[in-house]
Amino acid sequence: MNTPATGPSAAIDIGGTKIAGALVHEDGTLTARTQRPTPRTTAPEDVMQAVADVVADLARDPAWSAVRRCGIGSAGPVDASRGTVSPVNITAWRDFPVLARTREVLARHGAPVPTVLVGDGVAMTAAEHWLGAARGRANALCMVVSTGVGGGLVLDGRLHPGPTGNAGHIGHISVAFDGEPCACGGRGCVEQIASGTAIARWAAEQGWTGPDPTAAGVAAAARLGDPVAVAAFDRAGRALAAAIAATATLVETDLAVIGGGVAGSGDVLFAPLRRHLADYAALDFVRGLDVVPAALGTAAGLIGAAAAAVELLEGAAAPAERYGFADR
């Protein structure tokens, strides 16, 4: 096993709403946090310019000269083997060579450091395994439920991104065989039912007209007992339960960690999810599956991009102390 190079990691988190960056230090703290809105454009270079602007912000920090590696976590699908991304929620990028292009930007700013690309679900998984709700667990599924739905796996104590970095991408498991077509090309995907966008859209289609047309607004209405809002989250919880149970049955995970904006709805989401899970996780070896909220909040994508870079580039083992990341 290689010894991790001393120094902070540059971390970039690319999502459908925003592109964020930070320097992640050896004690797990973040500095120089910055972000840009993800451009709503069909021009690939406009999105790449937002990434470049984030890197430029990081390069102004005094700690930039000590950066030793960079981790990129991106909405997926990703192809880590080729360094490309085709995010469902960033239509301007299809097979976009984000890894090579980011390396070029890093070099222009004096940091030609080793760089790794992972899906945002894998990044969140890495973060939660080292510092969050999955810390100390040998097998876990971690999920991001937000604008989209992604995920990642820890198996036998190690991050398991798969050959192209998409292992655990649970958002595009089909849970409704005759469901709506998905932007990924499939049909009835979890993301089409349980993402924040899908929850808000379904509620509106059923006649819900609350003052806040987002998933957060639907959640607020559900807490007050609005029947359409309650049904929207029940539907989302059932889709998540089916996918979590299927994953646990396949690879014998005993923990599911759920983060992202929709998970912030709390019991509005978790209560129906756990109730429906009992219907799907029926075999003895998955019946005790725990479902818990993520612990790291909005920092997970950045912390995880850095942590994944340490493991995948330098071969550090899973426990936090081997990453240099202390408890915070």
Side-chain angles (χ1 to χ4, degrees), residues 72-86 95-100 103 115-120 122 160-167 308 312-313:
I72 306 167
S74 176
V78 306
D79 188 335
S81 63
R82 296 172 55 225
T84 61
V85 295
S86 301
D95 293 323
F96 187 80
V98 68
L99 182 60
R103 284 172 173 161
T115 304
V116 68
L117 168 68
V118 296
D120 56 358
V122 173
H160 183 74
T164 65
N166 290 292
L312 299 177
L313 290 170

Side-chain angles (χ1 to χ4, degrees), residues 193-224:
I193 301 172
S195 70
T197 305
I199 290 169
R201 182 180 65 246
W202 187 86
E205 290 170 351
Q206 305 309 305
W208 183 78
T209 56
D212 179 356
T214 67
V218 179
R223 291 188 193 96
L224 297 175

Side-chain angles (χ1 to χ4, degrees), residues 239-259:
L240 291 170
I244 290 168
T247 302
T249 302
L250 186 66
V251 296
E252 287 200 64
T253 58
D254 55 9
L255 175 70
V257 176
I258 304 180

Side-chain angles (χ1 to χ4, degrees), residues 8-14 19-25 29-36 49-73 102 105-111 113 115 301-303 305-306:
S9 302
I12 301 170
D13 182 14
I14 300 171
I19 296 170
L23 300 182
V24 182
H25 295 264
T29 58
L30 279 69
T31 61
R33 290 186 71 169
T34 185
Q35 68 181 53
R36 295 289 190 281
Q49 184 59 54
V51 176
D53 291 345
V54 165
V55 173
D57 288 349
L58 299 181
R60 297 185 186 100
D61 189 271
W64 180 253
S65 62
V67 166
R68 294 294 176 262
R69 67 196 71 78
C70 177
I72 306 167
T102 301
V105 174
L106 291 166
R108 285 204 303 271
H109 288 282
V113 296
T115 304
L302 292 168
I303 292 173

